[in-house]
Amino acid sequence: MKDVRPRMVNGAARLLAQKGLQGASFAEVLELTGAPRGSVYHHFPNGKDEMVTAALDAVSEATLKRLGELERTPVAITGGFLAVVAVSVAATGDLLDHAGAVFSRWTGHLAGLLTEAGVAPAEAADFATLLISASEGAVIMSRAQRSREPFDRVSRLLTAESRRIASPS
């Protein structure tokens, strides 16, 4: 019974990435994870927002951990971030505030990694914002179009920009 909550959190994170907020219902999470129905309000007494908040935290921590393991070059940081970005949330209220805090942490972390890689701090902050915004937009477009093409296009452009900031002229 100990592993039920983490299983549900991971399942919710996968559903958020694949289907968005509406696709991460308790019923969908239970079906995906095989968790018992009674565990829903035992593990998430404050409802769906609590489950989604836990999923966002889990994805954020996993992303920050993976980013910390990357080679310190703008190209590697860009590629690594694009490989793990998967959260797109259509939320309101406290959940929206929490998602905003996650994106702020990611932006600061990416900017720090880029600065360590030799990018000027202001340009590192700008590129971190561009990297997150463009990749998240590409995820939304790819989901809506049911195609990886928008994500692949944005990935190529971001990778080219990361090469430019790696070797300024």
Side-chain angles (χ1 to χ4, degrees):
M1 186 76 161
K2 268 191 202 175
D3 70 331
V4 172
R5 188 177 197 283
R7 233 179 33 224
M8 291 178 72
V9 168
N10 290 332
R14 278 188 288 177
L15 289 169
L16 283 169
Q18 295 169 355
K19 298 181 175 186
L21 185 60
Q22 275 52 36
S25 68
F26 279 135
E28 294 271 347
V29 170
L30 291 173
E31 183 179 329
L32 177 66
T33 63
R37 181 160 291 285
S39 60
V40 168
Y41 290 102
H42 173 74
H43 293 291
F44 305 102
N46 295 316
K48 182 178 177 180
D49 282 0
E50 183 179 2
M51 179 184 66
V52 172
T53 296
L56 287 173
D57 287 343
V59 169
S60 179
E61 289 308 311
T63 299
L64 293 174
K65 182 178 185 284
R66 289 171 106 176
L67 291 173
E69 297 166 353
L70 296 173
E71 179 184 352
R72 295 298 193 267
T73 67
V75 174
I77 294 164
T78 299
F81 180 76
L82 290 170
V84 298
V85 70
V87 177
S88 164
V89 178
T92 60
D94 290 342
L95 197 52
L96 184 61
D97 293 340
H98 192 80
V102 167
F103 284 121
S104 291
R105 283 184 62 204
W106 286 8
T107 303
H109 192 77
L110 283 167
L113 291 173
L114 290 161
T115 301
E116 285 178 29
V119 178
E123 188 169 27
D126 288 349
F127 186 71
T129 300
L130 175 66
L131 180 57
I132 293 169
S133 301
S135 60
E136 287 294 321
V139 166
I140 292 166
M141 289 178 65
S142 289
R143 285 184 51 222
Q145 295 175 9
R146 298 176 192 252
S147 167
R148 276 192 55 106
E149 188 177 353
F151 188 84
D152 291 342
R153 285 181 176 167
V154 168
S155 294
R156 282 191 301 274
L157 291 168
L158 289 168
T159 300
E161 180 64 9
S162 71
R163 286 188 183 104
R164 186 198 64 76
I165 67 171
S167 53
S169 20

